[in-house]
Amino acid sequence: MAPRTSAEVGGMGHSVKRKEDPRFIRGKGTYVDDVQLPGMLYLDIVRSPYAHAKIVKIHTETALAVPGVLAVITGEDLAKYGLHWMPTLMSDTQMVLPVEKVMYQAQEVAAVLATSRYSAADGAAAVQVDYDPLPVVVDPHQALAPGAPVLRTDKKDKKDNHIWHWEWGDRAATDRTFAEADHVVKQDIYIPRIHVASIETCGCIAHFDKVDGKLTVWMTTQAPHAIRTVFALVAGHVGLEEHKIRIISPDIGGGFGGKVPVYPGYVIAVAASVLTGKPVKWVEDRMENLQADSFARDYHISAELAAKKDGTLTAIRIKTIADHGYTDAAANPSKFPAGLFHVCTGSYDLKAAHVEVDGAYTNKPPGGIAYRCSFRVTEAVHTIERMTDIMAHQLGMDPAELRMKNFVKPENFPYRSALGWEYDSGDYAGALRLAMDRIGYADLRREQAEKRARGELMGIGISSFTEIVGAGPSKHFDILGIKMFDSCEIRIHPTGKAIARFGTKSQGQGHETTYAQILAEELGIPAKDIQVEEGDTDTAPYGLGTYASRSTPVAGAAAAVAARKIQDKARKIAAYLLECAPDDLVWEPGKFSVKGAPDRAKTIQEIAFAAYTNHPQGMEAGLEAVSYYDPPNLTYPFGSYICVVDIDKGTGEVKIRRFVAIDDCGNIINPMIVEGQVHGGLTMGLAPALFEEISYDESGNVQGGSFIDYLLPTAVETPKWETGNTVTPSPHHPLGAKGIGESATVGAPAAIANAVVDALWHLGVRHIDIPITPAKVWKLLRDRGVTD
Ligand code: MCN
Ligand code: CUM
């Protein structure tokens, strides 16, 4: 669709260059660690070498003797103020600093406050802790087995390591459908722990002003307003009330979900600043970030898919054990302990479905946070897309044909899934067909057959995923009771320039550009004349923040609604200026003109000036509006990805030869930014598919706690992504837009895994858990005697 506005105005559909880039490219961004305040103190954290151990004694004398060290803060110190535990977003509890025992390797044990970063680090190294090791449980199956040591001894009545049981769907109907099925495939799928590893680690500067009692925290957070409320709820009793707290989220070097939780370091820095009255900076190093921040995934899935003889898919049944580490700190909407995992019927019209998830405590850091995925959607997509492929191979059907046969059809939207979600719009076959055309699917299948005859290993994998983003409708979505709306406030200045503030917070997504484009579209004010601000709770309207690709679906909608309120007032002012009735005016981006007399017109800039200089008597001056938008539904972006791999029989290495990604996020605001989101997202989908994993040995020692063994794909490992779009607008979003921020990360791993298994199916390989490392593949080949 051609853009409605001129390139000069830069509304929707223009690839406007990112307004934020000039400062980033020149190194002029302001990240938390760039903030320097006079008299600032530094915090460093002592961490546990044990995964489970009693704390016998913490020796602080040597540390206190280090020049520059001012204090060593322990759990006992915080306990005096009731601040040694804090609530998690899922209403569990998490230690800020331990008093009795540590629960995972790298857990915070004590904090050292000093006059420089280096003294703080030297001090932390000098703190000696006597531990008494306790039995360690790292496997959630073992954690749930009878007789396992109970980990959460802090919970008086807790007799096991079971956190919760959650199930969804019609069990009886599902069992019945399975009983009637002609074919059933069953597969265990493990989706390992991974870490977002954003370029910038987490950190904060807490500054408590003892005179006016105000706390300002510069903080790497994706959700500044929610953090302010949580701080007030946790520390209101020690005088930190919400009007005395200001959270500033400055530039952020990648969030990806890892900057949603509250980490102990933030709370300790706040406590240290409140006690000393000095600004206190805490910034994690890379290994702390990898080893102790919240993790994603860690789902042990057991799935079954049922089909009729002709390949009609009928039902899915899933049992899952979710490893949450020692506390359930998942950042989910409160009502959904397993996130939106129940979108696991995917793009297919299944008649019945049932999902069960059991959460387990283990001696690991808090898990269940996202890795560029809207609350467990990747887990759901990986499951249904792997199962669909297994079914296709089992039936001897082409995986594309099986998908085409079972897709929800365009005429079925809005579509209610067997698990109760109402998909807003989609054209799944359209996206898959385009992907197949782009990649030359039929030719590739012929090539594969020829190669197989020669003993070469080539595979083609498809993932036709449906996402669910934009949390969310207040009826079902809240975090700790706060409804998941979002907001936009616009002020048009007398000279026709504007400032707009939002409840969300960009971490690299380009909001300063794309929100300005939405307003340019709605008001006709050039995007370059609109300043966008986010992340300061003293100035921005309340909102729930940026994650779950919700900014466009929720705050983007708020922007459109607020702009339309402004347009309504502008119409009245224009009518007054043109001496006609408001209804006699027609709007085109940037001006109102009199019906049938296009020369009699007032531009939005003229109207803005009049709003302050010559507004109708009885009308309030000014031109501003605010919207707190409660979406009527989520948005359901989708896509079809096709991946071609060649497998090296000598090394087991998987080489991605081609990867075509067709995405549909409804109407697009900025095509260049959307393409960038998909490129980055695909690379973050490649990562867990082939490289990334954090695991633990029996003693709970972390494997993958540094970049030496936590493998991130670099430009060398990343293939050339071939991207494209179809456009199926969301019927309920004011701009017809859906989110795009996570689609590629959610959809890509299954395409890659499906391609690898497709290359090896004829050798009897049905499934390989990600990451699909050369070692895993080589072992499979060796066991079948086909290595070179
Ligand atoms: N967009 C668009 N047209 C659409 C949809 C989106 O032009 N139809 C644009 C938006 O205007 C925005 C960007 O694409 O500039 C992403 O929008 P959206 O899908 O609404 O997602 P959010 O802005 O809410 O970003 C969150 C999402 C998530 S949850 C993760 S995780 C992730 C992601 O974005 N983290 C990122 N992409 C990231 N990109 C960067 N650079 N850094 C991160 O930390
Ligand atoms: Cu889901 S990772 Mo993002 O939601 O910040």
Side-chain angles (χ1 to χ4, degrees):
M1 219 177 52
R4 213 163 58 107
T5 56
S6 65
E8 170 69 13
V9 170
M12 279 176 72
H14 289 288
S15 286
V16 173
K17 282 196 181 156
R18 300 196 340 156
K19 291 177 158 210
E20 37 277 89
D21 284 347
R23 75 171 183 277
F24 291 151
I25 290 169
R26 292 172 207 179
K28 296 289 183 197
T30 304
Y31 298 89
V32 161
D33 206 25
D34 293 320
V35 176
Q36 301 290 341
L37 299 179
M40 192 161 75
L41 303 179
Y42 296 81
L43 200 71
D44 201 2
I45 291 178
V46 179
R47 292 178 183 274
S48 170
Y50 290 100
H52 197 197
K54 267 210 168 72
I55 294 173
V56 180
K57 190 164 170 44
I58 300 176
H59 304 271
T60 59
E61 312 76 30
T62 324
L64 287 169
V66 172
V69 169
L70 302 174
V72 178
I73 303 163
T74 64
E76 301 278 3
D77 298 327
L78 296 182
K80 290 178 205 145
Y81 305 93
L83 289 175
H84 54 317
W85 285 88
M86 61 179 181
T88 70
L89 293 175
M90 283 309 274
S91 301
D92 201 338
T93 51
Q94 175 172 2
M95 287 179 239
V96 178
L97 284 174
V99 171
E100 269 166 50
K101 63 172 186 172
V102 287
M103 297 285 271
Y104 70 88
Q105 189 183 56
Q107 187 184 333
E108 300 80 2
V109 176
V112 174
L113 189 64
T115 51
S116 78
R117 176 85 179 85
Y118 301 98
S119 302
D122 288 348
V127 172
Q128 280 187 0
V129 186
D130 300 335
Y131 295 97
D132 193 358
L134 293 165
V136 171
V137 185
V138 290
D139 179 343
H141 299 93
Q142 276 172 18
L144 294 178
V150 178
L151 301 181
R152 292 299 298 267
T153 43
D154 58 289
K155 298 186 180 221
K156 293 279 165 297
D157 303 323
K158 196 86 194 129
K159 298 279 180 285
D160 57 26
N161 300 312
H162 188 230
I163 313 178
W164 37 256
H165 172 82
W166 177 82
E167 60 179 85
W168 204 260
D170 187 334
R171 184 194 292 265
T174 306
D175 289 349
R176 225 179 307 121
T177 313
F178 267 88
E180 291 161 2
D182 299 315
H183 299 280
V184 173
V185 291
K186 190 172 182 337
Q187 183 61 51
D188 289 343
I189 298 172
Y190 176 53
I191 304 186
R193 267 189 182 230
I194 49 176
H195 193 286
V196 300
S198 44
I199 292 177
E200 181 198 28
T201 60
C202 293
C204 70
I205 295 147
H207 184 202
F208 182 70
D209 185 326
K210 283 199 169 176
V211 176
D212 62 12
K214 182 151 184 175
L215 172 73
T216 304
V217 191
W218 286 261
M219 185 171 170
T220 50
T221 177
Q222 299 177 223
H225 297 274
I227 295 284
R228 185 186 73 192
T229 302
V230 171
F231 273 17
L233 291 174
V234 173
H237 68 285
V238 292
L240 283 176
E241 290 169 284
E242 200 161 3
H243 65 304
K244 294 285 189 187
I245 302 173
R246 176 182 188 186
I247 308 291
I248 301 173
S249 206
D251 287 328
I252 293 187
F256 306 112
K259 287 174 179 158
V260 174
V262 174
Y263 294 120
Y266 300 140
V267 180
I268 304 168
V270 168
S273 181
V274 170
L275 289 176
T276 58
K278 300 252 165 111
V280 174
K281 181 184 273 190
W282 167 70
V283 176
E284 301 172 316
D285 68 24
R286 178 57 60 189
M287 279 165 64
E288 294 179 289
N289 174 267
L290 269 178
Q291 296 179 13
D293 286 3
S294 291
F295 291 84
R297 320 263 167 94
D298 218 342
Y299 255 31
H300 297 258
I301 295 164
S302 206
E304 292 171 280
L305 183 66
K308 290 196 213 159
K309 255 194 208 83
D310 67 351
T312 305
L313 301 176
T314 54
I316 190 161
R317 189 159 61 189
I318 302 178
K319 282 191 169 127
T320 292
I321 293 183
D323 186 339
H324 280 262
Y326 95 89
T327 178
D328 187 5
N332 289 329
S334 302
K335 200 173 161 183
F336 303 108
L340 311 185
F341 188 54
H342 47 314
V343 71
C344 58
T345 56
S347 310
Y348 312 107
D349 187 12
L350 302 184
K351 294 287 164 272
H354 188 253
V355 201
E356 286 176 79
V357 185
D358 287 277
Y361 288 128
T362 56
N363 288 118
K364 297 179 195 170
I369 234 61
Y371 172 113
R372 206 165 184 176
C373 151
S374 174
F375 319 125
R376 305 288 186 190
V377 180
T378 317
E379 288 89 325
V381 163
H382 201 73
T383 306
I384 183 71
E385 287 304 302
R386 281 292 303 124
M387 295 308 286
T388 304
D389 245 55
I390 294 173
M391 179 63 84
H393 282 104
Q394 197 73 34
L395 297 177
M397 257 173 102
D398 185 282
E401 190 193 335
L402 183 78
R403 284 179 169 81
M404 288 290 191
K405 186 179 174 70
N406 287 284
F407 280 145
V408 177
K409 310 248 167 336
E411 60 271 24
N412 297 139
F413 291 92
Y415 167 81
R416 185 163 288 274
S417 78
L419 291 171
W421 296 112
E422 189 180 295
Y423 294 13
D424 57 349
S425 63
D427 178 3
Y428 303 149
L432 178 55
R433 218 173 292 120
L434 182 57
M436 290 169 77
D437 288 349
R438 282 275 174 90
I439 207 156
Y441 188 78
D443 289 342
L444 285 169
R445 283 287 175 208
R446 272 192 292 277
E447 181 193 341
Q448 183 188 30
E450 287 163 23
K451 288 207 158 137
R452 190 166 293 168
R454 296 201 297 269
E456 291 170 43
L457 300 174
M458 165 187 167
I460 305 159
I462 302 174
S463 168
S464 292
F465 63 92
T466 291
E467 265 243 288
I468 170 169
V469 303
S474 65
K475 202 163 155 228
H476 299 297
F477 287 82
D478 69 85
I479 287 186
L480 294 173
I482 311 167
K483 302 295 189 188
M484 295 187 78
F485 58 86
D486 227 294
S487 59
C488 167
E489 182 201 86
I490 308 167
R491 293 186 195 166
I492 318 276
H493 308 317
T495 55
K497 317 291 175 185
I499 183 163
R501 296 186 169 115
F502 294 81
T504 48
K505 174 63 210 168
S506 189
Q507 312 125 41
Q509 293 89 344
H511 289 177
E512 285 166 53
T513 309
T514 48
Y515 284 147
Q517 288 187 261
I518 292 176
L519 299 178
E521 176 80 10
E522 293 290 330
L523 295 172
I525 297 175
K528 68 169 172 42
D529 292 347
I530 301 165
Q531 162 107 2
V532 169
E533 275 184 21
E534 301 175 292
D536 182 341
T537 58
D538 265 10
T539 54
Y542 201 102
L544 274 271
T546 290
Y547 41 84
S549 301
R550 63 189 297 280
S551 303
T552 303
V554 192
V561 171
R564 288 169 197 180
K565 290 182 188 175
I566 284 184
Q567 220 194 78
D568 285 347
K569 183 168 180 182
R571 176 185 290 272
K572 293 192 187 108
I573 297 172
Y576 168 77
L577 297 174
L578 293 163
E579 296 173 341
C580 67
D583 287 348
D584 290 339
L585 293 171
V586 280
W587 170 257
E588 66 188 271
K591 69 175 175 206
F592 279 109
S593 55
V594 179
K595 249 179 234 163
D599 290 349
R600 291 186 57 211
K602 287 289 169 190
T603 64
I604 186 76
Q605 288 81 4
E606 289 167 327
I607 296 167
F609 197 67
Y612 295 86
T613 59
N614 180 25
H615 57 288
Q617 289 304 300
M619 177 191 272
E620 285 183 14
L623 197 53
E624 48 184 86
V626 57
S627 163
Y628 288 84
Y629 188 79
D630 180 2
N633 191 5
L634 296 138
T635 68
Y636 294 76
F638 59 93
S640 264
Y641 295 172
I642 307 184
C643 169
V644 184
V645 300
D646 298 298
I647 293 175
D648 185 322
K649 292 205 290 182
T651 61
E653 191 190 350
V654 172
K655 290 183 190 151
I656 298 181
R657 190 203 308 174
R658 287 189 68 193
F659 196 110
V660 167
I662 302 299
D663 273 282
D664 193 319
C665 59
N667 291 333
I668 290 175
I669 299 153
N670 183 321
M672 176 193 74
I673 284 185
V674 165
E675 196 189 356
Q677 285 293 310
V678 172
H679 269 237
L682 287 170
T683 307
M684 278 184 96
L686 165 72
L690 297 186
F691 306 104
E692 294 180 0
E693 172 168 23
I694 300 238
S695 62
Y696 293 81
D697 74 10
E698 286 177 356
S699 314
N701 295 310
V702 60
Q703 321 282 298
S706 80
F707 279 163
I708 301 209
D709 32 29
Y710 191 72
L711 299 179
L712 300 187
T714 67
V716 175
E717 290 81 16
T718 305
K720 181 178 183 315
W721 307 114
E722 301 170 57
T723 59
N725 287 99
T726 55
V727 176
T728 312
S730 167
H732 64 77
H733 186 279
L735 304 165
K738 304 181 178 185
I740 189 62
E742 298 155 304
S743 291
T745 305
V746 167
I752 298 169
N754 284 346
V756 176
V757 176
D758 184 65
L760 304 175
W761 185 273
H762 65 289
L763 299 172
V765 176
R766 288 172 56 102
H767 175 74
I768 310 176
D769 280 328
I770 56 170
I772 304 178
T773 58
K776 277 188 199 172
V777 175
W778 186 81
K779 187 172 178 307
L780 288 169
L781 298 177
R782 186 204 51 192
D783 290 351
R784 286 157 181 79
V786 291
T787 39
D788 272 348

